[in-house]
Protein backbone atom coordinates (compact mmCIF):
# COMPACT_ATOMS: atom_id res chain seq x y z
CA UNK A 1 0.00 0.00 0.00
CA UNK A 2 1.47 3.42 -0.95
CA UNK A 3 2.44 5.83 1.80
CA UNK A 4 1.78 8.97 -0.27
CA UNK A 5 -0.33 10.15 -3.19
CA UNK A 6 1.21 12.68 -5.57
CA UNK A 7 -0.66 14.66 -8.20
CA UNK A 8 0.44 16.63 -11.21
CA UNK A 9 -1.12 20.09 -11.28
CA UNK A 10 -2.02 21.10 -14.84
CA UNK A 11 -4.33 18.73 -16.65
CA UNK A 12 -5.11 17.01 -13.34
CA UNK A 13 -5.92 19.41 -10.49
CA UNK A 14 -5.96 22.54 -12.63
CA UNK A 15 -7.34 22.95 -16.10
CA UNK A 16 -5.29 23.37 -19.23
CA UNK A 17 -5.55 26.56 -21.26
CA UNK A 18 -8.97 27.27 -22.74
CA UNK A 19 -9.36 27.95 -26.44
CA UNK A 20 -10.44 31.49 -25.58
CA UNK A 21 -7.25 32.13 -23.62
CA UNK A 22 -5.15 30.67 -26.42
CA UNK A 23 -6.71 33.05 -28.94
CA UNK A 24 -6.00 35.98 -26.59
CA UNK A 25 -2.34 34.95 -26.35
CA UNK A 26 -2.11 34.64 -30.13
CA UNK A 27 -3.52 38.14 -30.57
CA UNK A 28 -1.01 39.62 -28.14
CA UNK A 29 1.79 37.73 -29.87
CA UNK A 30 0.68 39.14 -33.22
CA UNK A 31 0.32 35.66 -34.64
CA UNK A 32 -0.65 35.98 -38.29
CA UNK A 33 -3.26 33.81 -39.94
CA UNK A 34 -1.89 30.38 -40.54
CA UNK A 35 1.00 30.67 -38.05
CA UNK A 36 -0.80 29.55 -34.88
CA UNK A 37 0.56 26.01 -35.14
CA UNK A 38 4.09 27.35 -35.55
CA UNK A 39 3.66 29.67 -32.56
CA UNK A 40 2.46 26.89 -30.24
CA UNK A 41 5.19 24.55 -31.44
CA UNK A 42 7.78 27.13 -30.36
CA UNK A 43 5.87 27.87 -27.14
CA UNK A 44 6.00 24.22 -26.06
CA UNK A 45 9.41 23.31 -27.44
CA UNK A 46 11.04 26.03 -25.34
CA UNK A 47 8.89 25.52 -22.25
CA UNK A 48 11.09 23.02 -20.35
CA UNK A 49 13.76 25.63 -19.57
CA UNK A 50 11.05 28.08 -18.48
CA UNK A 51 9.52 25.45 -16.20
CA UNK A 52 12.95 24.82 -14.71
CA UNK A 53 13.45 28.47 -13.74
CA UNK A 54 14.38 30.45 -16.86
CA UNK A 55 13.43 34.16 -16.46
CA UNK A 56 10.20 35.18 -18.18
CA UNK A 57 11.79 37.72 -20.52
CA UNK A 58 14.39 35.20 -21.66
CA UNK A 59 11.71 32.64 -22.44
CA UNK A 60 9.65 35.01 -24.57
CA UNK A 61 12.78 36.27 -26.30
CA UNK A 62 13.62 32.69 -27.19
CA UNK A 63 10.11 32.11 -28.56
CA UNK A 64 10.26 35.29 -30.66
CA UNK A 65 13.69 34.34 -31.98
CA UNK A 66 12.45 30.88 -32.93
CA UNK A 67 9.63 32.54 -34.87
CA UNK A 68 11.89 35.25 -36.31
CA UNK A 69 9.63 38.00 -34.97
CA UNK A 70 9.41 40.59 -32.18
CA UNK A 71 6.61 40.69 -29.62
CA UNK A 72 5.39 44.25 -29.12
CA UNK A 73 4.29 43.89 -25.49
CA UNK A 74 6.04 41.03 -23.72
CA UNK A 75 4.64 42.04 -20.32
CA UNK A 76 1.03 41.80 -21.54
CA UNK A 77 1.80 38.53 -23.32
CA UNK A 78 3.35 37.05 -20.18
CA UNK A 79 0.38 38.20 -18.05
CA UNK A 80 -2.11 36.62 -20.46
CA UNK A 81 -0.11 33.41 -20.38
CA UNK A 82 -0.14 33.37 -16.58
CA UNK A 83 -3.87 34.02 -16.45
CA UNK A 84 -4.51 31.14 -18.84
CA UNK A 85 -3.14 28.67 -16.28
CA UNK A 86 -5.13 29.66 -13.17
CA UNK A 87 -8.36 27.63 -13.42
CA UNK A 88 -8.82 24.76 -10.97
CA UNK A 89 -10.84 21.59 -11.50
CA UNK A 90 -13.46 21.67 -8.73
CA UNK A 91 -14.00 17.89 -8.73
CA UNK A 92 -10.32 17.18 -8.24
CA UNK A 93 -10.00 19.91 -5.61
CA UNK A 94 -12.84 18.24 -3.69
CA UNK A 95 -11.01 14.91 -3.92
CA UNK A 96 -7.84 16.47 -2.49
CA UNK A 97 -9.85 17.70 0.48
CA UNK A 98 -11.41 14.29 1.04
CA UNK A 99 -8.05 12.54 0.91
CA UNK A 100 -6.49 15.03 3.30
CA UNK A 101 -9.42 14.64 5.69
CA UNK A 102 -8.86 10.87 5.66
CA UNK A 103 -5.24 11.36 6.65
CA UNK A 104 -3.49 10.55 3.38
CA UNK A 105 -0.04 12.02 2.86
CA UNK A 106 -0.33 14.22 -0.25
CA UNK A 107 2.20 15.74 -2.61
CA UNK A 108 2.11 17.94 -5.68
CA UNK A 109 4.69 17.65 -8.46
CA UNK A 110 4.25 20.33 -11.10
CA UNK A 111 6.13 21.70 -14.07
CA UNK A 112 5.38 25.34 -13.41
CA UNK A 113 7.03 28.68 -14.11
CA UNK A 114 8.22 30.83 -11.22
CA UNK A 115 5.86 33.77 -11.87
CA UNK A 116 2.85 31.48 -11.73
CA UNK A 117 3.54 30.00 -8.29
CA UNK A 118 2.58 33.07 -6.22
CA UNK A 119 -0.48 33.68 -8.39
CA UNK A 120 -1.72 30.12 -7.94
CA UNK A 121 -0.98 30.14 -4.21
CA UNK A 122 -2.84 33.44 -3.80
CA UNK A 123 -5.92 32.22 -5.65
CA UNK A 124 -5.88 28.59 -4.57
CA UNK A 125 -3.95 28.64 -1.30
CA UNK A 126 -6.80 27.09 0.65
CA UNK A 127 -6.66 23.73 -1.12
CA UNK A 128 -2.96 23.85 -1.98
CA UNK A 129 -2.44 24.13 1.76
CA UNK A 130 -3.83 20.62 2.20
CA UNK A 131 -0.68 19.15 0.63
CA UNK A 132 2.21 17.93 2.76
CA UNK A 133 4.72 18.93 0.08
CA UNK A 134 4.53 21.20 -2.97
CA UNK A 135 7.30 20.39 -5.44
CA UNK A 136 7.60 22.99 -8.19
CA UNK A 137 9.97 22.49 -11.11
CA UNK A 138 10.99 26.16 -11.12
CA UNK A 139 12.19 25.87 -7.51
CA UNK A 140 14.06 22.58 -7.79
CA UNK A 141 15.69 23.37 -11.14
CA UNK A 142 14.47 20.28 -12.98
CA UNK A 143 11.19 19.39 -14.67
CA UNK A 144 9.36 16.16 -15.41
CA UNK A 145 10.17 13.75 -16.96
CA UNK A 146 13.66 14.19 -15.48
CA UNK A 147 13.92 11.42 -12.84
CA UNK A 148 15.38 13.86 -10.33
CA UNK A 149 12.05 15.68 -10.15
CA UNK A 150 10.28 12.55 -8.88
CA UNK A 151 13.09 11.71 -6.49
CA UNK A 152 13.08 15.20 -4.99
CA UNK A 153 9.30 15.10 -4.62
CA UNK A 154 9.44 11.79 -2.75
CA UNK A 155 12.25 13.08 -0.54
CA UNK A 156 10.22 16.17 0.34
CA UNK A 157 7.39 13.87 1.38
CA UNK A 158 9.80 11.76 3.43
CA UNK A 159 9.02 8.52 1.60
CA UNK A 160 10.88 6.35 -0.94
CA UNK A 161 9.71 6.58 -4.54
CA UNK A 162 8.49 3.00 -4.27
CA UNK A 163 5.86 4.16 -1.77
CA UNK A 164 4.34 6.87 -3.99
CA UNK A 165 1.15 6.64 -6.06
CA UNK A 166 1.44 9.28 -8.79
CA UNK A 167 -1.12 10.74 -11.22
CA UNK A 168 -0.25 12.72 -14.35
CA UNK A 169 -2.10 13.43 -17.59
CA UNK A 170 1.00 12.98 -19.79
CA UNK A 171 2.12 9.48 -20.63
CA UNK A 172 5.81 10.39 -20.79
CA UNK A 173 5.63 11.67 -17.22
CA UNK A 174 3.82 8.55 -16.04
CA UNK A 175 6.41 6.27 -17.65
CA UNK A 176 9.26 8.31 -16.16
CA UNK A 177 7.68 8.07 -12.70
CA UNK A 178 7.46 4.29 -13.03
CA UNK A 179 11.15 4.14 -13.92
CA UNK A 180 11.96 5.77 -10.58
CA UNK A 181 9.95 3.10 -8.76
CA UNK A 182 6.70 4.99 -8.31
CA UNK A 183 3.34 3.43 -8.96
CA UNK A 184 1.96 5.79 -11.60
CA UNK A 185 -1.42 6.13 -13.28
CA UNK A 186 -2.34 8.11 -16.39
CA UNK A 187 -5.02 10.60 -15.35
CA UNK A 188 -8.14 10.61 -17.50
CA UNK A 189 -10.92 11.82 -15.17
CA UNK A 190 -11.80 12.42 -11.52
CA UNK A 191 -13.89 9.22 -11.52
CA UNK A 192 -10.98 7.15 -12.84
CA UNK A 193 -8.69 8.68 -10.22
CA UNK A 194 -11.09 7.81 -7.40
CA UNK A 195 -11.31 4.24 -8.66
CA UNK A 196 -7.53 3.90 -8.90
CA UNK A 197 -7.01 5.25 -5.39
CA UNK A 198 -9.68 2.93 -4.00
CA UNK A 199 -8.00 -0.03 -5.69
CA UNK A 200 -4.57 0.81 -4.28
CA UNK A 201 -5.88 1.43 -0.76
CA UNK A 202 -8.41 -1.40 -0.53
Amino acid sequence: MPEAIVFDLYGVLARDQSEESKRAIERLAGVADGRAREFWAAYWALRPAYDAGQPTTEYWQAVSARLDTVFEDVAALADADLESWTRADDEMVALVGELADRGHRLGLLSNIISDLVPLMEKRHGRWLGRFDALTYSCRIGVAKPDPRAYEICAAQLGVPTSQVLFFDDREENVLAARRTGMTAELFTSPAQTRQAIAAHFS
Side-chain angles (χ1 to χ4, degrees), residues 107-163:
L108 181 74
L109 177 57
S110 175
N111 286 357
I112 185 172
I113 59 178
S114 58
D115 289 345
L116 191 50
V117 171
L119 182 58
M120 287 297 289
E121 291 189 340
K122 180 179 180 180
R123 294 191 184 184
H124 302 294
R126 185 171 182 178
W127 60 267
L128 286 172
R130 304 304 303 273
F131 286 89
D132 296 284
L134 298 169
T135 306
Y136 299 128
S137 61
C138 61
R139 292 186 175 171
I140 63 175
V142 290
K144 297 173 295 183
D146 189 310
R148 290 174 295 171
Y150 306 93
E151 292 162 359
I152 292 170
C153 176
Q156 290 182 343
L157 282 165
V159 299
T161 55
S162 61
Q163 291 301 312

Side-chain angles (χ1 to χ4, degrees), residues 160-173:
T161 55
S162 61
Q163 291 301 312
V164 172
L165 172 61
F166 175 68
F167 291 90
D168 198 292
D169 65 318
R170 294 181 180 271
E171 186 174 13
E172 63 268 29
N173 293 339

Side-chain angles (χ1 to χ4, degrees), residues 1 197-202:
M1 185 179 297
I197 291 172
H200 284 290
F201 286 90
S202 59

Side-chain angles (χ1 to χ4, degrees), residues 29-165:
V31 175
D33 291 343
R35 293 200 71 190
R37 182 174 295 181
E38 185 181 358
F39 170 80
W40 291 109
Y43 176 99
W44 286 113
L46 298 168
R47 204 75 176 181
Y50 196 16
D51 286 335
Q54 180 185 44
T56 298
T57 53
E58 289 184 15
Y59 167 72
W60 287 109
Q61 286 170 357
V63 174
S64 65
R66 176 74 64 93
L67 298 171
D68 194 24
T69 188
V70 176
F71 298 136
E72 292 186 4
D73 192 340
V74 172
L77 182 56
D79 285 345
D81 184 47
L82 292 177
E83 188 63 34
S84 74
W85 293 107
T86 58
R87 301 178 306 142
D89 184 312
D90 291 340
E91 285 189 72
M92 288 302 296
V93 168
L95 176 57
V96 167
E98 293 171 22
L99 293 171
D101 288 343
R102 295 206 296 264
H104 287 288
R105 192 161 185 78
L106 303 177
L108 181 74
L109 177 57
S110 175
N111 286 357
I112 185 172
I113 59 178
S114 58
D115 289 345
L116 191 50
V117 171
L119 182 58
M120 287 297 289
E121 291 189 340
K122 180 179 180 180
R123 294 191 184 184
H124 302 294
R126 185 171 182 178
W127 60 267
L128 286 172
R130 304 304 303 273
F131 286 89
D132 296 284
L134 298 169
T135 306
Y136 299 128
S137 61
C138 61
R139 292 186 175 171
I140 63 175
V142 290
K144 297 173 295 183
D146 189 310
R148 290 174 295 171
Y150 306 93
E151 292 162 359
I152 292 170
C153 176
Q156 290 182 343
L157 282 165
V159 299
T161 55
S162 61
Q163 291 301 312
V164 172
L165 172 61

